[in-house]
Amino acid sequence: LGEDVDLEVLAKATSGFTGADLANLMNEAALLAARRGEKIIRDKHLQDAMMRVAVGTEKKSRKINDHEKKLTAVHEAGHAVVSRFLPTQDPVHEVSIIPRGMAGGYTMHVPKEDVWYSSKNRMIESIVSLLGGRVAEKIVLDDISTGASNDIERATQIARDMVTKYGMSDVIGPVKYGSSQEVFLGKDFGHSRDYSENVAAQIDEEIKRIVCDCFERCEKILSENIEILNRVSEYLIEHEKITGEEFDAIFEGKLDEYERLTREREMRQAEEEKRMLERKAEEERRLEEERKKREEFYRNGQGIGVIRVDVKPPEEPKEEEKTEENKEENE
Ligand code: ZN
């Protein structure tokens, strides 16, 4: 494992991974490192492996047209920007519009800490965040795509859980609806429903109300901050990928400052590298010089004379004939 790997950061990024996921992650990282001819696993291998395990491999070869690119950029920017306004949501770690696995793009969050239970507030804000993509499409492009279908499915599922599983709806009350078998199978089979048509209609109504309220809240946040949304999506179109730090800088309108700092850091690194290379070259020159001196020393027969110094007084090798003799020996 390389020294640049921060296990604490890795642990945060992989919270929720099972043991098998972690084993898979390390295996992928090892393969990537080997494929790139390296002997140790570095942070960048782990980052890439993490994305492979979580989303799938990058498909840079897949051609996307400009409209599709813009759509994805606006969509992902919507998720990222709205989540920044929601206190319970995790910080943005990376946003990308490079197709990967099944995803056209993604917004990746890294949890501040492991969350073992969810609050009503957190669930609501998760729904708002999930709707960010669709809402951004609607506001910026005045059109909506099918790309958000998974977001909507997940948002609806959270709302359903809130109502039927966690008793978080005032209208429905703190009652659990549906057998645990449904939950266990992860599917709603309908036939195992243990409540009346009337309640079912109320539940559907509540789910719809929650999701629509969240949609409105999302719409309000994003339309009030459309400049930020545009800034982020334009940057995405240009760069295809944004790190969490870049995102924060764009969000706060400090991109110029951020880029200046980045440039300065890169210049410092380049300077440092240059100095290191100079030091290395200097060291090599010194070694070369020493080697030459040594060679000359031996060629002149002084080397062997020096060895003799230990045995005899140093004046000894200075005699004319002995030096001549050594010269011959060396040649
Ligand atoms: Zn989405």
Side-chain angles (χ1 to χ4, degrees), residues 39-275:
K39 288 200 163 60
I40 53 172
I41 300 175
R42 295 187 186 282
D43 189 53
K44 57 175 193 258
H45 304 136
L46 279 166
Q47 295 283 347
D48 283 358
M50 196 144 58
M51 291 313 300
R52 274 164 190 251
V53 172
V55 202
T57 46
E58 250 176 29
K59 294 179 186 161
K60 277 190 176 149
S61 55
R62 214 194 100 189
K63 277 268 164 281
I64 42 171
N65 62 42
D66 286 352
H67 178 72
E68 206 179 334
K69 196 171 178 180
K70 170 146 200 202
L71 188 85
T72 313
V74 167
H75 182 99
E76 296 307 329
H79 283 307
V81 171
V82 78
S83 72
R84 188 71 155 62
F85 286 99
L86 306 166
T88 66
Q89 297 302 294
D90 297 319
V92 171
H93 179 67
E94 189 176 280
V95 189
S96 164
I97 58 165
I98 301 170
R100 196 186 257 281
M102 294 285 288
Y106 58 84
T107 299
M108 191 177 166
H109 300 266
V110 170
K112 280 175 275 194
E113 59 237 346
D114 263 341
V115 180
W116 291 102
Y117 62 91
S118 217
S119 68
K120 181 176 178 180
N121 211 359
R122 190 176 157 87
M123 288 175 97
I124 290 279
E125 292 190 348
S126 293
I127 299 175
V128 177
S129 169
L130 278 166
L131 296 172
R134 160 60 60 96
V135 170
E137 288 176 24
K138 187 184 164 207
I139 296 175
V140 179
L141 305 169
D142 195 24
D143 192 11
I144 48 179
S145 76
T146 55
S149 71
N150 181 251
D151 294 337
I152 288 166
E153 196 183 312
R154 280 162 64 201
T156 311
Q157 188 57 47
I158 294 174
R160 180 175 296 279
D161 285 349
M162 287 176 66
V163 176
T164 63
K165 214 164 146 185
Y166 303 116
M168 288 172 175
S169 155
D170 294 336
V171 178
I172 304 297
V175 179
K176 178 176 160 41
Y177 291 98
S179 70
S180 50
Q181 204 182 11
E182 280 176 10
V183 177
F184 183 68
L185 292 171
K187 282 201 171 106
D188 207 301
F189 284 111
H191 60 260
S192 56
R193 206 171 66 194
D194 57 4
Y195 45 89
S196 68
E197 283 295 333
N198 191 21
V199 172
Q202 265 187 327
I203 288 173
D204 288 343
E205 194 56 41
E206 258 308 85
I207 293 169
K208 191 179 163 198
R209 186 192 60 79
I210 291 173
V211 176
C212 288
D213 281 358
C214 289
F215 195 92
E216 267 173 39
R217 188 168 157 198
C218 187
E219 225 174 354
K220 186 167 184 294
I221 294 173
L222 287 182
S223 45
E224 278 173 5
N225 296 282
I226 194 152
E227 284 131 70
I228 299 177
L229 184 63
N230 286 335
R231 274 210 301 272
V232 174
S233 59
E234 274 156 25
Y235 193 84
L236 258 178
I237 290 169
E238 196 182 336
H239 299 268
E240 297 193 330
K241 221 179 215 180
I242 308 185
T243 65
E245 283 171 329
E246 281 169 331
F247 173 72
D248 283 343
I250 301 166
F251 188 92
E252 287 160 14
K254 291 178 185 163
L255 187 61
D256 289 346
E257 197 187 327
Y258 175 82
E259 284 178 335
R260 185 178 58 77
L261 289 172
T262 307
R263 257 199 312 280
E264 276 175 16
R265 197 188 60 226
E266 281 168 359
M267 265 160 66
R268 266 201 309 277
Q269 276 169 352
E271 196 79 11
E272 180 60 36
E273 211 156 291
K274 205 176 125 200
R275 267 201 300 276

